Amino acid sequence: MAAQIKLPIYFDNHATTPVDPQVLDAMLPYLSGKFGNAASHSHGFGWEAEAAVDMARKHIAALIGSLPQEIVFTSGATESDNLVLLGVAEAYRTKGDHIITAVTEHRAVLDTCAHLEKTGYRITRLPARPDGLIDLDQLRGAFTPGTILVSIMAANNETGVLQPLEEIGTLCRERGVLFHSDAVQALGRMPLDVNKLQLDLASITAHKCYGPKGCGALYVRSGVKLAPIIHGGGHEHGMRSGTLNVPGIVGFGKACEVAQSGLPEESCRIAGLRNRLRDRLLAELDDAIINGSMEHRLPGNLNISFLNVEGETLMAAVKEVAVSSGAACHSDKIEPSYVLKALGLSDEAAGSAIRFGLGRFNTEAEVDYVAERFIDAVKKLRELSPA
Ligand code: PLP
């Protein structure tokens, strides 16, 4: 089996994805001869760069069903999330001061909400059910006359759990409240249509869909107001000033074009690999618990707690496989994941979680190797310290 695979194996596609060779090929000319500034309107170098950006904008828009002019380029989804929350809060201040989000959101949303709270906005953080989904009745009950925005992610970066965006979109539209989704983990991995989901704003980033790092975008539905957080040359309809990252944008566009051309087949294949991994692990190991809904979940995600084994120790025992644990380093301390804790896991169960993130370039032989190595390591570690 080892002959078929190359070590180390990368199973951490929620952290970032490798750049697809087709994306790299598309980008390279814009890192050498085609170096123009897309805002230079007086010569061919600029026109060439602008045309490349326009093309990328079309490909990104096509993948999410928006108009090209509704795509605002940013440095990544952290910036997109900041731009939405701060930009809507400021632009709609006279309409209201209340924002609804969920406890399982990415820090880019949660920390920005905490910042707004300090400046006088009211934030409701919806809890998660044990399966990771929010409760729509709790959302219904959270709206107030001053609610200006609901921000709920499409797919969670730890558990892969998918939120019911279509239903949330309907609730927001009925009440005239803006709906934003951090759709980073969903882009290119499942269908995402901003009109069907009734999204007004969506954060996306290139490096989670086989594009380059440092390039993201915000979908802003026509007519939605947004105060800029970066001031300068008035690029991107004045919503995000700064010279455009042309090579990054070209790569992002290509990544979306590639994703769209093979989306249903690819997500089916990746779900098959993920299910194979799950079935092997569960067949061999007791006390292995899947965290979050299996039904409402990204195809490539598997988050499992191997009870009585510390995730960090397990990862150290299987060094040749890149995965993540259910713990994160905050201020130099290792803490159990707040996402898993929100689903009701104890510190111990959260600390024993491993996130497997499968992607485009993973193979069946890799799944079999990873399953075998984790089964072996969990059994050995449990023998060493029986709980
Ligand atoms: N939102 C989610 C759900 C993510 O998974 C990430 C990446 O870790 C981000 C936001 C931040 O994206 P970026 O790395 O482009 O700033």
Side-chain angles (χ1 to χ4, degrees):
M1 182 198 300
Q4 291 171 272
I5 56 167
K6 204 168 145 278
L7 299 177
I9 294 174
Y10 189 72
F11 268 26
D12 202 14
N13 285 279
H14 299 305
T16 195
T17 49
V19 172
D20 189 301
Q22 299 172 78
V23 169
L24 181 63
D25 284 349
M27 289 174 69
L28 283 174
Y30 295 90
L31 287 160
S32 52
K34 300 185 178 190
F35 58 83
N37 184 333
S40 297
H41 291 135
S42 51
H43 51 68
F45 292 92
W47 302 331
E48 184 176 58
E50 191 183 27
V53 167
D54 286 348
M55 184 56 76
R57 225 186 269 282
K58 282 192 187 125
H59 288 310
I60 298 165
L63 184 56
I64 62 169
S66 78
L67 300 170
Q69 61 270 29
E70 293 174 319
I71 300 295
V72 173
F73 288 112
T74 64
S75 64
T78 300
E79 186 188 328
S80 302
D81 287 343
N82 272 264
L83 176 54
V84 166
L85 292 156
L86 302 175
V88 166
E90 187 179 330
Y92 291 84
R93 185 69 183 90
T94 50
K95 183 170 180 246
D97 63 354
H98 180 230
I99 293 171
I100 302 173
T101 185
V103 289
T104 47
E105 292 294 308
H106 191 269
R107 292 220 86 96
V109 167
L110 292 178
D111 291 359
T112 312
C113 284
H115 170 77
L116 282 170
E117 206 166 34
K118 280 193 211 138
T119 63
Y121 288 86
R122 293 178 301 128
I123 310 291
T124 299
R125 297 167 182 84
L126 297 173
R129 306 188 313 203
D131 65 0
L133 277 78
I134 62 158
D135 182 328
L136 291 174
D137 282 332
Q138 284 184 333
L139 172 59
R140 274 190 201 91
F143 286 99
T144 70
T147 306
I148 48 175
L149 179 71
V150 170
S151 178
I152 301 287
M153 72 201 320
N156 187 269
N157 44 301
E158 292 190 40
T159 59
V161 166
L162 309 177
Q163 297 293 349
L165 294 195
E166 209 169 331
E167 288 84 345
I168 300 170
T170 302
L171 293 178
C172 292
R173 205 43 79 78
E174 282 166 1
R175 291 160 177 79
V177 171
L178 294 176
F179 178 30
H180 164 248
S181 186
D182 176 331
V184 163
Q185 296 287 345
L187 185 77
R189 295 175 177 166
M190 53 179 270
L192 190 75
D193 183 318
V194 293
N195 292 314
K196 187 160 174 259
L197 302 172
Q198 306 187 66
L199 279 164
D200 298 302
L201 300 134
S203 304
I204 51 179
T205 194
H207 77 101
K208 311 276 187 185
C209 63
Y210 311 96
K213 292 167 188 57
C215 181
L218 181 65
Y219 154 71
V220 184
R221 183 178 292 282
S222 302
V224 171
K225 289 185 286 172
L226 211 52
I229 57 171
I230 295 178
H231 304 269
H235 306 72
E236 301 296 273
H237 312 293
M239 290 190 227
R240 204 283 189 174
S241 289
T243 300
L244 291 180
N245 169 4
V246 178
I249 289 169
V250 167
F252 195 3
K254 189 67 189 180
C256 289
E257 186 190 357
V258 173
Q260 189 165 25
S261 69
L263 186 55
E265 297 79 18
E266 181 168 293
S267 55
C268 204
R269 187 185 79 82
I270 293 173
L273 291 178
R274 186 271 315 274
N275 292 345
R276 183 181 178 97
L277 177 64
R278 175 200 58 192
D279 294 347
R280 299 219 157 179
L281 293 170
L282 296 187
E284 288 287 330
L285 295 170
D286 296 329
D287 294 329
I289 297 175
I290 296 177
N291 298 315
S293 165
M294 206 57 226
E295 188 191 339
H296 304 279
R297 194 183 199 97
L298 282 175
N301 178 282
L302 190 62
N303 188 311
I304 301 195
S305 288
F306 300 100
L307 300 185
N308 305 320
V309 177
E310 247 184 33
E312 297 286 308
T313 315
L314 184 51
M315 286 199 305
V318 194
K319 275 201 200 67
E320 74 277 24
V321 180
V323 290
S324 282
S325 78
C329 194
H330 292 301
S331 336
D332 297 336
K333 272 199 313 201
I334 303 243
E335 283 177 4
S337 144
Y338 68 88
V339 172
L340 297 179
K341 292 204 68 182
L343 271 56
L345 272 73
S346 64
D347 282 2
E348 291 70 31
S352 71
I354 296 289
R355 175 185 72 179
F356 299 93
L358 282 76
R360 178 174 298 162
F361 300 109
N362 292 126
T363 64
E364 205 167 87
E366 287 180 335
V367 166
D368 292 346
Y369 178 91
V370 171
E372 203 174 285
R373 289 290 291 116
F374 272 84
I375 291 165
D376 187 53
V378 169
K379 285 186 177 167
K380 285 202 176 112
L381 288 168
R382 283 183 178 162
E383 271 166 30
L384 285 177
S385 64

